[in-house]
Amino acid sequence: MTDSHSAILLISCPDQKGLVAAVTRFIFEQGGNILHLDQHVDAEASAFFMRVEWDLHGFGLERDAIATAFDLTIARRFNMTWSIAFSDSVPRMALFVSKQSHCLYDILGRVQSGEWKVHIPLIIGNHDTLRPVAESFGIPFHTFKITADNKAEQEAAQIALLRQHNVDLVVLARYMQIVTGQLIGQFHNRIINIHHSFLPAFAGAKPYHAASARGVKLIGATSHYVTEELDAGPIIAQDVLAVNHRDSVADLVRKGQDVEKLVLAQAIWAHLNQRVLVYNNKTVVF
Amino acid sequence: MTDSHSAILLISCPDQKGLVAAVTRFIFEQGGNILHLDQHVDAEASAFFMRVEWDLHGFGLERDAIATAFDLTIARRFNMTWSIAFSDSVPRMALFVSKQSHCLYDILGRVQSGEWKVHIPLIIGNHDTLRPVAESFGIPFHTFKITADNKAEQEAAQIALLRQHNVDLVVLARYMQIVTGQLIGQFHNRIINIHHSFLPAFAGAKPYHAASARGVKLIGATSHYVTEELDAGPIIAQDVLAVNHRDSVADLVRKGQDVEKLVLAQAIWAHLNQRVLVYNNKTVVF
Amino acid sequence: MTDSHSAILLISCPDQKGLVAAVTRFIFEQGGNILHLDQHVDAEASAFFMRVEWDLHGFGLERDAIATAFDLTIARRFNMTWSIAFSDSVPRMALFVSKQSHCLYDILGRVQSGEWKVHIPLIIGNHDTLRPVAESFGIPFHTFKITADNKAEQEAAQIALLRQHNVDLVVLARYMQIVTGQLIGQFHNRIINIHHSFLPAFAGAKPYHAASARGVKLIGATSHYVTEELDAGPIIAQDVLAVNHRDSVADLVRKGQDVEKLVLAQAIWAHLNQRVLVYNNKTVVF
Amino acid sequence: MTDSHSAILLISCPDQKGLVAAVTRFIFEQGGNILHLDQHVDAEASAFFMRVEWDLHGFGLERDAIATAFDLTIARRFNMTWSIAFSDSVPRMALFVSKQSHCLYDILGRVQSGEWKVHIPLIIGNHDTLRPVAESFGIPFHTFKITADNKAEQEAAQIALLRQHNVDLVVLARYMQIVTGQLIGQFHNRIINIHHSFLPAFAGAKPYHAASARGVKLIGATSHYVTEELDAGPIIAQDVLAVNHRDSVADLVRKGQDVEKLVLAQAIWAHLNQRVLVYNNKTVVF
């Protein structure tokens, strides 16, 4: 999908004529060959979104110079919000877990096998339960027991640890604690959660019990960026699977875990590959 | 699926030992060969459900005598709620519509082509819009304009018409009116509605607008029996399809129509084939 | 999705630097605002594909002049294969049918309800069976009985009729005859067929019987452009649904019809909306 | 799903009247309460299939005596092929792997987390590549390098090892070697393979390359029992996912791995829970 030496621009700005022409001309004039270009206009919001990836082989600007040049010649002119990334960079991702291991195993298996280019410098748990899993993969595990009394303090310590490890992305891999604005503010649109229902149905605790009580014929999972309003952040990925009257709550839990781990993996993959733009509490996933 | 000369028993009762043995022995002793048997126990509710279909060829009892015999020898002993139907009977189904035709065309096409064994004696609309569709299929169309003032009166007239036509099942095929307890009471668990969202998400009006505003990545449809609480009746069938940021509300409406008509068709088919049992505001769909 | 007054360019050419920049600059310089742009590079084939749609409001060129200007200034320079269409044009589509009506009803319902902007000037059948359906929708129906002896002659007559009605697109809506190179040559990449299996599995006749014999757990349908090699043309859309051991061949036929009509509708919609490019016997569906 | 102290009978036999009545009466007379009963008749093959699970609490026969009693009083009379299992038994499963780890990680994560009740006494590889994965989970790993010359000999050694560990089930978790009749004969309907295509499409080597060349819009995976004819054994589970023109062969491989591991897990779970019956090279999966 992504070549190892390419640059990726993610852009959003007010819609206007000439945006695509200006960006693609910038790349062309420096000798770049466009590998992928996705563009979207939200007509109602009059908002423009673009992801463009080009081969850096023979490109006229050094990596460090691209951002400056783009900012001066294009971005300011069109009032763009933008970011640049390089396909060969390796982001640093922290995992938060509780007692359930299915998402953790799935993520670690993907990283270990080389499916994803990402480094996991640490795993944080609010219980010790999954320490052996972390250790079997050679990843440091830090336990932060959380009580009503120590929550703010523990979260501050978690933030310090994340900063110390230069973490780019935080993944709540079935972390059964609500994170607060303190942490969210430090990692704006960089904390991904997996909720075990098809949001907005069954937000909050015990969604499989609620799904069983309502007698739904599908259960789902939703991966979203964490915002201060619980289970209401921008949705990155969702999926469902069919269930029926034979499925007890325990069956929903067991079957749901497969959807949870797949949907979370899709969201992480999209984020790591610079495919997600957020606006109006929604996402554009290129 | 269903042989043309078979009997189908639908049973629910408190769970206890010997239920399957008693029912299957009843059938066996009269020389019936079981074609399909589905059984379910809801352990939590301690409730037993069963659907059994057997070949009537060479069966020892006349059709009229089966119900009496089953009631006396089996049903009373186990305190069963039950019904019997015959695969060669042709139920009578009324359709309620408003202005949108996709579900109507889908249903009429299935009936006309012989996919379903059902008779449609009449179609009721709260607008005249779809009269030509009904007429092109040769089905009488009755318009009942509904206002806040005449609603009870019009519904009473609709009920009279349904009774006059010996209607067994009412299908709200995107009928944009809320039906009241007056009608629901007459057709308990025999009014099927299609709601254009994955319930319980986006109950109420304009679900596609709500789905777009929330930025969901799947949209769905839900078919359910109508109860007095709006959009909260027992769910019979649900399905979803993937959408993305490129889909405007108009796209959600267009794409959603395909799910709506399929999900409604699944629910109707299950009902017509005696596959649905209702308990605790949920369904067992065998 | 598609605004009513927009132009759509579909382009394919050898990949090279500056393609997107050149096309978007052409549009920008005439004052066009890009509504949708999709671009794809097949790196292995070194081939470039693009679909761009822009608002014609205030555009500097008349419709008739766009093609000439684009050809002279852009297309020739880059050796492009291209076509232009306008969102408010109404293509003319002919349907070929045999005895099964599910795809026919589905298509006619979509057209009649206004879901698709297309005109159906005629329906051709190799049997009379579906004449009443065509007539109930007010569409002329022509029967061409086909035998081994008269096939070439009848197909020539069909072609004459299609030409007389200025048909742009031919849809084989479960037409149970193999069309020959005579017809295919006249409508290159403009004949869409629906095959009732997940191709390349179960090509040829009686795919549901073959699927049942093999014991597959999914059945599918495939919509493709017709080429001279049977069931081997470029695939436009495919989908599947789950089946199980309880499903007889008759059940597979019944359930499969829902997939068939949906997949065929997806392919037709993509074609009508200028979303399909063909290369190397494959499709790019934007 | 499965209670911890229940018995499960899997039965197949020629269809005849009274089968369900006889089996359920046998259970009832010993005081057993039926938890789940699934029954299927293949009318064409005139074959009967049944899975029945009942609570052993208060059952009148000791575990050892059930088989004898059932055989004498029921099975012989109806010429049944049957097996009995107990929900609290822990089967022994061996894994065969090559170099790809996604299925291996998925299976080991499910076992380690307690999702499945199964013991894995050993993992066999034809390469050393995945030895560290096995060891990080504390499972003995045995390497059997295979050449054309030593294949029969190595397979004989594998069989000896499997017997020594009392292995009940062999799972080929992306094992890139064809196993021969020597091994298959020892584990009839007890070797599960995962093939990375929607069989029968793309049987044989390099299915993702073939799928890309054909331009399919879905890719799939198939889990089946291994028989001597390559990729032609009874299918247990299949699934697909949507792909498009943007997906290179490398993308198909990456995306396909998610389907492979899910489909293989479904098949293993069904087998471990005594849900699969094989006949006519097909499966009944209750």
Side-chain angles (χ1 to χ4, degrees), chain B residues 151-177:
Chain B
K151 182 151 190 165
E153 187 186 331
Q154 289 289 68
E155 212 175 60
Q158 289 172 342
I159 292 169
L161 197 60
L162 295 173
R163 297 216 155 278
Q164 177 190 325
H165 284 89
N166 294 314
V167 163
D168 299 301
L169 174 66
V170 172
V171 171
L172 309 184
R174 297 301 310 275
Y175 181 61
M176 304 303 277
Q177 286 285 325

mmCIF file of all heavy atoms in Angstrom, chain B residues 151-177:
data_model
loop_
_atom_site.group_PDB
_atom_site.id
_atom_site.type_symbol
_atom_site.label_atom_id
_atom_site.label_comp_id
_atom_site.label_asym_id
_atom_site.label_seq_id
_atom_site.Cartn_x
_atom_site.Cartn_y
_atom_site.Cartn_z
ATOM 1 N N LYS B 151 -57.666 11.145 12.983
ATOM 2 C CA LYS B 151 -56.832 9.949 13.055
ATOM 3 C C LYS B 151 -57.566 8.735 13.629
ATOM 4 O O LYS B 151 -57.547 7.651 13.044
ATOM 5 C CB LYS B 151 -55.574 10.233 13.877
ATOM 6 C CG LYS B 151 -54.637 9.047 13.949
ATOM 7 C CD LYS B 151 -53.188 9.485 14.106
ATOM 8 C CE LYS B 151 -52.278 8.310 13.928
ATOM 9 N NZ LYS B 151 -50.874 8.719 13.723
ATOM 10 N N ALA B 152 -58.223 8.923 14.777
ATOM 11 C CA ALA B 152 -58.899 7.795 15.421
ATOM 12 C C ALA B 152 -59.991 7.237 14.507
ATOM 13 O O ALA B 152 -60.143 6.023 14.344
ATOM 14 C CB ALA B 152 -59.489 8.235 16.761
ATOM 15 N N GLU B 153 -60.717 8.162 13.916
ATOM 16 C CA GLU B 153 -61.820 7.785 13.030
ATOM 17 C C GLU B 153 -61.313 7.041 11.779
ATOM 18 O O GLU B 153 -61.856 6.007 11.382
ATOM 19 C CB GLU B 153 -62.510 9.098 12.612
ATOM 20 C CG GLU B 153 -63.768 9.004 11.827
ATOM 21 C CD GLU B 153 -64.173 10.425 11.417
ATOM 22 O OE1 GLU B 153 -63.825 11.389 12.167
ATOM 23 O OE2 GLU B 153 -64.799 10.580 10.351
ATOM 24 N N GLN B 154 -60.252 7.569 11.185
ATOM 25 C CA GLN B 154 -59.706 6.928 9.993
ATOM 26 C C GLN B 154 -59.157 5.541 10.333
ATOM 27 O O GLN B 154 -59.299 4.596 9.567
ATOM 28 C CB GLN B 154 -58.584 7.793 9.381
ATOM 29 C CG GLN B 154 -59.058 9.092 8.719
ATOM 30 C CD GLN B 154 -59.801 8.830 7.420
ATOM 31 O OE1 GLN B 154 -60.903 8.275 7.446
ATOM 32 N NE2 GLN B 154 -59.216 9.246 6.304
ATOM 33 N N GLU B 155 -58.511 5.453 11.477
ATOM 34 C CA GLU B 155 -57.958 4.155 11.854
ATOM 35 C C GLU B 155 -59.078 3.143 12.084
ATOM 36 O O GLU B 155 -58.940 1.956 11.726
ATOM 37 C CB GLU B 155 -57.096 4.293 13.106
ATOM 38 C CG GLU B 155 -55.951 3.306 13.119
ATOM 39 C CD GLU B 155 -55.022 3.514 14.301
ATOM 40 O OE1 GLU B 155 -55.509 3.413 15.445
ATOM 41 O OE2 GLU B 155 -53.815 3.750 14.087
ATOM 42 N N ALA B 156 -60.155 3.596 12.671
ATOM 43 C CA ALA B 156 -61.304 2.696 12.864
ATOM 44 C C ALA B 156 -61.812 2.207 11.509
ATOM 45 O O ALA B 156 -62.142 1.017 11.341
ATOM 46 C CB ALA B 156 -62.411 3.415 13.634
ATOM 47 N N ALA B 157 -61.846 3.097 10.534
ATOM 48 C CA ALA B 157 -62.289 2.700 9.197
ATOM 49 C C ALA B 157 -61.296 1.720 8.560
ATOM 50 O O ALA B 157 -61.696 0.766 7.871
ATOM 51 C CB ALA B 157 -62.457 3.937 8.320
ATOM 52 N N GLN B 158 -60.021 1.958 8.800
ATOM 53 C CA GLN B 158 -59.006 1.019 8.278
ATOM 54 C C GLN B 158 -59.208 -0.368 8.887
ATOM 55 O O GLN B 158 -59.173 -1.388 8.188
ATOM 56 C CB GLN B 158 -57.598 1.521 8.626
ATOM 57 C CG GLN B 158 -57.179 2.770 7.840
ATOM 58 C CD GLN B 158 -55.866 3.352 8.330
ATOM 59 O OE1 GLN B 158 -55.418 3.058 9.442
ATOM 60 N NE2 GLN B 158 -55.248 4.190 7.507
ATOM 61 N N ILE B 159 -59.439 -0.398 10.206
ATOM 62 C CA ILE B 159 -59.628 -1.683 10.882
ATOM 63 C C ILE B 159 -60.839 -2.416 10.295
ATOM 64 O O ILE B 159 -60.788 -3.623 10.026
ATOM 65 C CB ILE B 159 -59.801 -1.472 12.405
ATOM 66 C CG1 ILE B 159 -58.478 -0.984 13.005
ATOM 67 C CG2 ILE B 159 -60.264 -2.763 13.088
ATOM 68 C CD1 ILE B 159 -58.600 -0.497 14.438
ATOM 69 N N ALA B 160 -61.916 -1.672 10.076
ATOM 70 C CA ALA B 160 -63.116 -2.290 9.504
ATOM 71 C C ALA B 160 -62.804 -2.911 8.147
ATOM 72 O O ALA B 160 -63.216 -4.039 7.840
ATOM 73 C CB ALA B 160 -64.223 -1.235 9.376
ATOM 74 N N LEU B 161 -62.016 -2.179 7.361
ATOM 75 C CA LEU B 161 -61.655 -2.673 6.033
ATOM 76 C C LEU B 161 -60.778 -3.925 6.131
ATOM 77 O O LEU B 161 -60.958 -4.899 5.377
ATOM 78 C CB LEU B 161 -60.922 -1.552 5.289
ATOM 79 C CG LEU B 161 -60.788 -1.642 3.772
ATOM 80 C CD1 LEU B 161 -62.145 -1.685 3.082
ATOM 81 C CD2 LEU B 161 -59.972 -0.439 3.268
ATOM 82 N N LEU B 162 -59.847 -3.900 7.057
ATOM 83 C CA LEU B 162 -58.964 -5.061 7.238
ATOM 84 C C LEU B 162 -59.773 -6.285 7.653
ATOM 85 O O LEU B 162 -59.544 -7.396 7.180
ATOM 86 C CB LEU B 162 -57.892 -4.749 8.295
ATOM 87 C CG LEU B 162 -56.894 -3.633 7.936
ATOM 88 C CD1 LEU B 162 -55.996 -3.319 9.139
ATOM 89 C CD2 LEU B 162 -56.051 -4.012 6.728
ATOM 90 N N ARG B 163 -60.709 -6.084 8.545
ATOM 91 C CA ARG B 163 -61.554 -7.208 9.001
ATOM 92 C C ARG B 163 -62.414 -7.738 7.867
ATOM 93 O O ARG B 163 -62.566 -8.944 7.694
ATOM 94 C CB ARG B 163 -62.462 -6.755 10.155
ATOM 95 C CG ARG B 163 -61.706 -6.319 11.387
ATOM 96 C CD ARG B 163 -62.431 -6.707 12.669
ATOM 97 N NE ARG B 163 -61.481 -6.823 13.743
ATOM 98 C CZ ARG B 163 -60.734 -7.882 13.976
ATOM 99 N NH1 ARG B 163 -60.858 -8.960 13.237
ATOM 100 N NH2 ARG B 163 -59.867 -7.887 14.960
ATOM 101 N N GLN B 164 -62.943 -6.802 7.125
ATOM 102 C CA GLN B 164 -63.797 -7.182 5.999
ATOM 103 C C GLN B 164 -63.032 -8.061 4.997
ATOM 104 O O GLN B 164 -63.592 -8.974 4.398
ATOM 105 C CB GLN B 164 -64.275 -5.888 5.342
ATOM 106 C CG GLN B 164 -65.120 -6.033 4.097
ATOM 107 C CD GLN B 164 -65.298 -4.653 3.433
ATOM 108 O OE1 GLN B 164 -65.385 -3.622 4.117
ATOM 109 N NE2 GLN B 164 -65.343 -4.636 2.118
ATOM 110 N N HIS B 165 -61.740 -7.803 4.880
ATOM 111 C CA HIS B 165 -60.921 -8.590 3.955
ATOM 112 C C HIS B 165 -60.210 -9.749 4.639
ATOM 113 O O HIS B 165 -59.305 -10.354 4.069
ATOM 114 C CB HIS B 165 -59.883 -7.694 3.257
ATOM 115 C CG HIS B 165 -60.467 -6.845 2.174
ATOM 116 N ND1 HIS B 165 -60.982 -5.587 2.421
ATOM 117 C CD2 HIS B 165 -60.653 -7.075 0.839
ATOM 118 C CE1 HIS B 165 -61.420 -5.073 1.290
ATOM 119 N NE2 HIS B 165 -61.248 -5.953 0.323
ATOM 120 N N ASN B 166 -60.581 -10.020 5.883
ATOM 121 C CA ASN B 166 -59.980 -11.146 6.618
ATOM 122 C C ASN B 166 -58.456 -11.126 6.604
ATOM 123 O O ASN B 166 -57.800 -12.143 6.354
ATOM 124 C CB ASN B 166 -60.459 -12.482 6.029
ATOM 125 C CG ASN B 166 -61.932 -12.686 6.241
ATOM 126 O OD1 ASN B 166 -62.434 -12.461 7.343
ATOM 127 N ND2 ASN B 166 -62.637 -13.083 5.181
ATOM 128 N N VAL B 167 -57.918 -9.949 6.861
ATOM 129 C CA VAL B 167 -56.475 -9.788 6.804
ATOM 130 C C VAL B 167 -55.808 -10.468 8.006
ATOM 131 O O VAL B 167 -56.242 -10.318 9.145
ATOM 132 C CB VAL B 167 -56.110 -8.288 6.741
ATOM 133 C CG1 VAL B 167 -54.648 -8.064 7.091
ATOM 134 C CG2 VAL B 167 -56.456 -7.744 5.365
ATOM 135 N N ASP B 168 -54.752 -11.242 7.712
ATOM 136 C CA ASP B 168 -53.997 -11.935 8.763
ATOM 137 C C ASP B 168 -52.802 -11.123 9.238
ATOM 138 O O ASP B 168 -52.374 -11.247 10.382
ATOM 139 C CB ASP B 168 -53.460 -13.269 8.220
ATOM 140 C CG ASP B 168 -54.563 -14.205 7.778
ATOM 141 O OD1 ASP B 168 -55.411 -14.531 8.640
ATOM 142 O OD2 ASP B 168 -54.598 -14.581 6.590
ATOM 143 N N LEU B 169 -52.213 -10.366 8.322
ATOM 144 C CA LEU B 169 -50.942 -9.692 8.599
ATOM 145 C C LEU B 169 -50.966 -8.312 7.973
ATOM 146 O O LEU B 169 -51.381 -8.151 6.825
ATOM 147 C CB LEU B 169 -49.791 -10.512 7.982
ATOM 148 C CG LEU B 169 -48.390 -9.915 8.040
ATOM 149 C CD1 LEU B 169 -47.907 -9.834 9.488
ATOM 150 C CD2 LEU B 169 -47.429 -10.755 7.205
ATOM 151 N N VAL B 170 -50.508 -7.325 8.740
ATOM 152 C CA VAL B 170 -50.409 -5.955 8.224
ATOM 153 C C VAL B 170 -48.932 -5.590 8.116
ATOM 154 O O VAL B 170 -48.174 -5.781 9.068
ATOM 155 C CB VAL B 170 -51.122 -4.952 9.165
ATOM 156 C CG1 VAL B 170 -50.864 -3.511 8.732
ATOM 157 C CG2 VAL B 170 -52.610 -5.256 9.230
ATOM 158 N N VAL B 171 -48.524 -5.085 6.960
ATOM 159 C CA VAL B 171 -47.134 -4.672 6.773
ATOM 160 C C VAL B 171 -47.085 -3.172 6.525
ATOM 161 O O VAL B 171 -47.708 -2.670 5.582
ATOM 162 C CB VAL B 171 -46.492 -5.429 5.594
ATOM 163 C CG1 VAL B 171 -45.121 -4.832 5.258
ATOM 164 C CG2 VAL B 171 -46.364 -6.907 5.929
ATOM 165 N N LEU B 172 -46.365 -2.461 7.393
ATOM 166 C CA LEU B 172 -46.160 -1.029 7.204
ATOM 167 C C LEU B 172 -44.914 -0.858 6.340
ATOM 168 O O LEU B 172 -43.791 -0.913 6.826
ATOM 169 C CB LEU B 172 -45.993 -0.326 8.554
ATOM 170 C CG LEU B 172 -47.068 -0.618 9.621
ATOM 171 C CD1 LEU B 172 -46.826 0.217 10.878
ATOM 172 C CD2 LEU B 172 -48.465 -0.372 9.078
ATOM 173 N N ALA B 173 -45.135 -0.688 5.041
ATOM 174 C CA ALA B 173 -44.038 -0.656 4.074
ATOM 175 C C ALA B 173 -43.610 0.795 3.843
ATOM 176 O O ALA B 173 -43.832 1.348 2.783
ATOM 177 C CB ALA B 173 -44.480 -1.336 2.775
ATOM 178 N N ARG B 174 -42.923 1.349 4.847
ATOM 179 C CA ARG B 174 -42.574 2.782 4.898
ATOM 180 C C ARG B 174 -43.845 3.640 4.948
ATOM 181 O O ARG B 174 -43.983 4.617 4.212
ATOM 182 C CB ARG B 174 -41.650 3.194 3.753
ATOM 183 C CG ARG B 174 -40.296 2.522 3.729
ATOM 184 C CD ARG B 174 -39.491 2.772 5.014
ATOM 185 N NE ARG B 174 -39.430 4.161 5.395
ATOM 186 C CZ ARG B 174 -38.545 5.041 4.924
ATOM 187 N NH1 ARG B 174 -37.628 4.663 4.091
ATOM 188 N NH2 ARG B 174 -38.558 6.290 5.335
ATOM 189 N N TYR B 175 -44.731 3.254 5.876
ATOM 190 C CA TYR B 175 -45.941 4.040 6.147
ATOM 191 C C TYR B 175 -45.568 5.103 7.152
ATOM 192 O O TYR B 175 -45.150 4.782 8.267
ATOM 193 C CB TYR B 175 -47.018 3.102 6.713
ATOM 194 C CG TYR B 175 -48.352 3.738 7.040
ATOM 195 C CD1 TYR B 175 -49.124 4.349 6.045
ATOM 196 C CD2 TYR B 175 -48.851 3.697 8.340
ATOM 197 C CE1 TYR B 175 -50.357 4.903 6.349
ATOM 198 C CE2 TYR B 175 -50.100 4.240 8.649
ATOM 199 C CZ TYR B 175 -50.842 4.849 7.653
ATOM 200 O OH TYR B 175 -52.073 5.392 7.956
ATOM 201 N N MET B 176 -45.666 6.366 6.783
ATOM 202 C CA MET B 176 -45.102 7.422 7.604
ATOM 203 C C MET B 176 -46.081 7.973 8.638
ATOM 204 O O MET B 176 -46.095 9.172 8.922
ATOM 205 C CB MET B 176 -44.572 8.540 6.695
ATOM 206 C CG MET B 176 -43.555 8.066 5.660
ATOM 207 S SD MET B 176 -42.109 7.249 6.407
ATOM 208 C CE MET B 176 -41.149 8.717 6.823
ATOM 209 N N GLN B 177 -46.892 7.095 9.169
ATOM 210 C CA GLN B 177 -47.820 7.465 10.229
ATOM 211 C C GLN B 177 -47.590 6.534 11.415
ATOM 212 O O GLN B 177 -47.288 5.358 11.216
ATOM 213 C CB GLN B 177 -49.269 7.293 9.757
ATOM 214 C CG GLN B 177 -49.743 8.359 8.794
ATOM 215 C CD GLN B 177 -50.012 9.677 9.504
ATOM 216 O OE1 GLN B 177 -50.460 9.693 10.649
ATOM 217 N NE2 GLN B 177 -49.699 10.776 8.830
#
